[in-house]
């Protein structure tokens, strides 16, 4: 039987970046099923069209826009189209990320460093800058970080460090955007998605990761969506500047 959700986002407008598959798509779906008008985006028109179709089939009000988050014109267009259609923004979920390298930090190319910084950190800041004038009182910004922010893994060291930056960004923006906008962060553990398939497709690696968790399983995109929906909703109206680790009990502290 299909799960029934409350309608915590009735009348709300939510933008989710990188939301045509994986965690981003599940977040868009969850917010939509809870009544939000959702704006989904990613780099390819085909992916955007497919995601819009899937969400419409679930009865969700949805707008799809092509947006490469590091492209200033496309970012501005994402906000403009949202405002044109819905007139306001209540929730922003910044989910776009790149991990183009498995090199150690001391060997990583400068161009790769630039790309990691550009997409994982800088774009997260710029999308909030672009959206800020349209955010309503009681609005919510959510950054999607990673449990790797607390202990960057050797194979994804610089990626982990960019995710650590988001923890600091959450604190800084929560101060700056209070009291009208709350800013929080989700740090997912390992979730089998296209983005992480090179880790989770390998059975030995998958088993090793599962054994690191206390719950003896990998996370699901729905786990991440549920946590995001909570933090974005009025149920979390007294929570800001916090990171919620959703990682099955993998140790996480800075």
């Amino acid at each position: 039987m299909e799960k029934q959700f409350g309608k915590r986002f009735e009348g709300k407008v939510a933008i989710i970046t990188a939301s045509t598959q994986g965690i981003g798509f599940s977040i868009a779906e969850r917010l939509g099923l809870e009544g939000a008008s959702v704006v989904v985006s990613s780099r390819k028109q085909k992916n955007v069209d497919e995601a819009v179709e899937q969400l419409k089939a679930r009865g969700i009000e949805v707008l799809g826009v092509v947006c490469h988050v590091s492209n200033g014109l496309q970012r501005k267009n994402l906000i403009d189209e949202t405002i044109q259609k819905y007139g306001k923004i209540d929730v922003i979920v910044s989910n776009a990320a790149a991990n183009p390298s498995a090199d150690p930090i001391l060997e990583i190319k400068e161009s790769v460093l630039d790309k990691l910084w550009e997409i994982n950190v800088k774009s997260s800041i710029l999308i909030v800058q672009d959206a800020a004038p349209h955010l309503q009182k009681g609005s919510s910004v959510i950054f999607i970080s990673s449990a790797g922010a607390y202990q960057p893994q050797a194979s994804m060291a610089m990626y982990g460090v960019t995710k650590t930056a988001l923890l600091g960004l959450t604190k800084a923006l929560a101060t700056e955007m209070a009291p009208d906008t709350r800013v929080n962060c989700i740090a997912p553990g390992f979730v089998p998605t296209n983005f992480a398939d090179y880790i989770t497709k390998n059975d030995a690696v998958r088993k090793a990761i599962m054994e690191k968790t206390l719950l003896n399983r990998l996370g699901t995109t729905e786990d991440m969506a549920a946590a995001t929906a909570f933090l974005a909703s009025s149920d979390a109206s007294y929570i800001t500047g916090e990171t919620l680790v959703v990682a099955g009990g993998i140790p996480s502290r800075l």
Side-chain angles (χ1 to χ4, degrees):
M1 205 176 103
E2 193 172 310
K3 249 184 169 171
Q4 294 298 311
F5 297 116
K7 294 288 187 195
R8 293 180 292 186
F9 298 97
E10 203 77 76
K12 305 281 192 206
V13 177
I15 295 178
I16 305 98
T17 63
S19 47
T20 58
Q21 51 192 353
I23 291 173
F25 180 81
S26 275
I27 291 170
E29 183 178 50
R30 177 67 188 255
L31 298 182
L33 290 173
E34 290 207 31
S37 299
V38 295
V39 182
V40 295
S41 69
S42 69
R43 290 174 298 179
K44 296 188 182 116
Q45 186 71 55
K46 178 179 173 288
N47 294 0
V48 170
D49 294 343
E50 282 171 11
V52 166
E53 213 165 292
Q54 284 175 281
L55 293 169
K56 279 195 169 146
R58 310 281 319 260
I60 291 167
E61 167 60 41
V62 55
L63 169 67
V65 184
V66 170
C67 178
H68 194 316
V69 290
S70 63
N71 179 320
L73 287 173
Q74 289 187 13
R75 261 197 332 270
K76 188 179 179 314
N77 181 55
L78 175 66
I79 304 299
D80 289 348
E81 287 206 30
T82 302
I83 296 307
Q84 221 172 329
K85 183 157 187 190
Y86 299 119
K88 61 168 190 160
I89 302 167
D90 299 285
V91 177
I92 292 182
V93 182
S94 177
N95 173 57
N99 184 27
S101 164
D103 291 335
I105 290 174
L106 293 180
E107 291 167 23
I108 208 164
K109 289 190 180 71
E110 190 174 350
S111 60
V112 175
L113 268 181
D114 286 344
K115 184 178 177 183
L116 275 163
W117 176 254
E118 176 96 20
I119 292 175
N120 298 2
V121 185
K122 197 171 135 189
S123 298
S124 299
I125 297 168
L126 294 173
I127 193 89
V128 177
Q129 280 186 4
D130 292 339
H134 309 286
L135 284 169
Q136 304 298 294
K137 205 173 163 57
S139 57
S140 192
V141 173
I142 312 278
F143 294 111
I144 307 298
S145 176
S146 163
Y150 293 91
Q151 190 61 58
Q153 303 297 309
S155 62
M156 308 161 68
M158 197 57 217
Y159 169 84
V161 173
T162 62
K163 292 300 195 174
T164 312
L166 294 180
L167 308 186
L169 181 61
T170 298
K171 292 276 185 213
L173 276 179
T175 305
E176 207 170 295
M177 298 181 83
D180 290 344
T181 300
R182 295 181 301 105
V183 183
N184 290 295
C185 183
I186 299 278
F190 287 97
V191 180
T193 61
N194 287 351
F195 187 75
D197 68 355
Y198 69 98
I199 301 169
T200 50
K201 266 191 178 147
N202 177 320
D203 279 350
V205 173
R206 195 185 174 108
K207 195 164 179 292
I209 293 168
M210 280 165 69
E211 282 167 2
K212 275 201 184 104
T213 72
L214 301 180
L215 302 180
N216 209 17
R217 70 173 177 87
L218 298 182
T220 66
T221 60
E222 290 80 10
D223 290 330
M224 306 310 140
T228 305
F230 164 66
L231 281 180
S233 79
S234 58
D235 283 342
S237 63
Y238 201 53
I239 301 176
T240 192
E242 298 298 341
T243 297
L244 180 54
V245 180
V246 189
I250 287 172
S252 53
R253 55 187 286 264
L254 272 179

